[in-house]
Amino acid sequence: MTIVTVLGTRPEIIKMAPLLPRLDALGDHIIVHSGQHYSAEMDAVFFEELELRSPDRPLGVGSREPAEQVAMIAQGVERVIIESSPDWVVVHGDTNTTLGGALAAAKHRARGVRLAHVEAGARSFNEDQPEELNRVLVDRMAHLLFAPTEDDAANLKAEGIPVDRVLVTGNTVAESCLRMATIVDGHVPDGLAAGHYAIATIHRQETVNDPARLATTWEALVAVSECVNVIVPLHPRTRKMLAAAGLPLSRAGLTVSEPVGYRKMVALLKHARFVLTDSGGVQEEAAILQVPALVLRGETEHRRYVDAGLHRVVGTDFDRIVAESTFLLDDDRLAERKRCRIELDSGVAERIASALTSVGVSPR
Ligand code: UD1
Ligand code: UDP
């Protein structure tokens, strides 16, 4: 069996980490790195810390306008497909890398190439988000869809995707996160005291490319940091947009840094009092580590953590973010929120790998 895996952004590298060695064991496995993320702290650090082998085909596409980026990734993956005639092309999630890889695979269906989508079926139902467009298109093209939850599978069914193409697997991020949480154990980075700081990440286009939303969110983080130290590892997109908006980085109790490696990120998350984030992956990890999170978006694909009572969707409104954070500064309320139990996924990568070897896929 020949498998081509396409990845290229921070969350893809982290979430595909448990699966890559298992795909190596299935036959010829070619890892294509799009180069969508390329700064060492957005890319190389994760290969090193998660002990991943180097990609076979770095495309070096870099930062570009979205259609150009997708087209260049599709072109690069197409070359690999023509050379290797894979049985499967495997993509993950909802980025431009995911869409580029999926398009190339779909265009070579006649060669017997089949497309598998890991983390299929997630929906925010907000069509203005580039990620939502990517997910819907990729799910439409895929032959085999690995849905993290029953809710995700139900979204696919509602869109008319045949149920025999969908397998509910759990989410691979649980394996990456729990493995790293065991390695970091009780270590709290930078001399911080467990439970006495919050951690915040923002990077989504809808949050940071909108000057009004960026300003209310950032000012809310500054206000929260007057009561509790807020650690902010800054995504490069956010750094750029804050500079463009003239919003200073050095304020009150904010501790702003470059993006951190995964070891430090998991250690910071594990011991945080609470998390403020617009990131899908960070929200999932907070849930896995049983840490309350405030979702800085209008909606989330991960409703199960909100329904369980551990997370709240608070949007980008200044007053709401400050009020919800203040609530979590009360020890009893925090303890009550932390009592909400989340079921942990396990054996996810193994389930996916064995499905690729055993599932018969009906012709479309
Ligand atoms: C992308 C994904 C988003 C995902 C995020 C994970 C799409 C449409 N968006 O958004 O779904 O949540 O990755 O982090 O695919 N930059 C660097 N160094 C890098 C990479 C980017 O400096 O290694 C800067 C560049 O100025 C670039 C900007 O960050 O223009 C944005 O990068 P890009 O990959 O376009 O989008 P993300 O915001 O990272
Ligand atoms: N992450 C990290 N260092 C950071 C910020 C995030 O290691 O400074 C990890 C985080 O733990 C999660 C992933 O990056 O596993 C999430 O990526 P991101 O927020 O960029 O994208 P999203 O999940 O929203 O697509």
Side-chain angles (χ1 to χ4, degrees), residues 9-11 36-39 42 63-64 69 94-97 130-131 134 203-205 235-237 240:
T9 66
R10 173 167 73 184
Q36 180 173 346
H37 286 176
Y38 46 86
S39 304
M42 296 295 289
S63 302
R64 296 180 181 272
Q69 191 174 50
D94 53 22
T95 69
N96 289 343
T97 295
E131 291 84 1
N134 291 344
H203 76 284
R204 278 180 184 266
Q205 216 167 299
H235 190 285
R237 175 190 288 279
K240 216 164 61 173

Side-chain angles (χ1 to χ4, degrees), residues 72-344:
M72 287 180 70
I73 294 166
Q75 221 171 22
V77 175
E78 177 172 66
R79 274 196 300 275
V80 179
I81 289 174
I82 290 169
E83 285 165 25
S84 62
S85 290
D87 301 283
W88 288 103
V89 171
V90 181
V91 297
H92 174 279
D94 53 22
T95 69
N96 289 343
T97 295
T98 319
L99 180 59
L103 273 173
K107 289 290 175 192
H108 288 276
R109 192 172 290 161
R111 279 173 196 266
V113 177
R114 291 172 297 173
L115 173 66
H117 186 201
V118 180
E119 208 181 274
R123 294 290 182 271
S124 67
F125 302 102
N126 180 344
E127 291 180 356
D128 291 334
Q129 294 166 341
E131 291 84 1
E132 185 76 352
L133 177 69
N134 291 344
R135 292 180 193 120
V136 170
L137 294 174
V138 174
D139 284 337
R140 186 66 193 82
M141 291 186 280
H143 291 86
L144 188 51
L145 299 96
F146 298 117
T149 67
E150 293 289 351
D151 285 348
D152 300 323
N155 290 337
L156 295 168
K157 191 173 175 197
E159 289 173 21
I161 309 260
V163 288
D164 66 345
R165 292 177 187 276
V166 180
L167 183 68
V168 177
T169 56
N171 197 322
T172 57
V173 75
E175 281 167 60
S176 300
C177 179
L178 290 172
R179 179 171 166 239
M180 196 50 94
T182 307
I183 293 170
V184 299
D185 198 21
H187 170 71
V188 194
D190 299 338
L192 291 161
H196 288 273
Y197 64 91
I199 175 162
T201 76
I202 52 169
H203 76 284
R204 278 180 184 266
Q205 216 167 299
E206 83 229 36
T207 321
V208 306
N209 283 36
D210 178 312
R213 275 197 207 124
L214 177 61
T216 53
T217 311
W218 191 252
E219 291 303 335
L221 296 182
V222 173
V224 173
S225 79
E226 283 164 9
C227 306
V228 62
N229 185 5
V230 180
I231 311 295
V232 192
L234 212 55
H235 190 285
R237 175 190 288 279
T238 312
R239 185 175 287 277
K240 216 164 61 173
M241 298 319 291
L242 286 167
L247 289 163
L249 301 184
S250 178
R251 307 275 295 278
L254 283 189
T255 306
V256 175
S257 72
E258 292 298 321
V260 297
Y262 197 51
R263 185 185 289 260
K264 185 165 179 179
M265 187 67 190
V266 171
L268 284 169
L269 284 171
K270 187 172 175 184
H271 301 291
R273 186 174 186 92
F274 64 97
V275 175
L276 303 116
T277 191
D278 67 354
S279 158
V282 173
Q283 191 198 340
E284 289 176 289
E285 289 163 349
I288 291 160
L289 299 169
Q290 204 67 34
V291 179
L294 303 178
V295 178
L296 306 173
R297 302 173 54 194
E299 67 287 303
T300 174
E301 301 80 34
H302 309 298
R303 282 294 319 173
R304 62 172 162 160
Y305 311 132
V306 179
D307 295 341
L310 184 63
H311 293 176
R312 306 265 293 180
V313 176
V314 304
T316 54
D317 176 72
F318 178 93
D319 292 334
R320 180 98 198 268
I321 297 171
V322 174
E324 294 278 356
S325 300
T326 308
F327 183 92
L328 292 171
L329 292 176
D330 179 284
D331 286 340
D332 291 338
R333 287 159 153 180
L334 180 77
E336 189 188 330
R337 188 89 44 104
K338 281 173 87 89
R339 274 197 290 275
C340 303
R341 288 287 135 201
I342 302 297
E343 209 178 306
L344 294 179

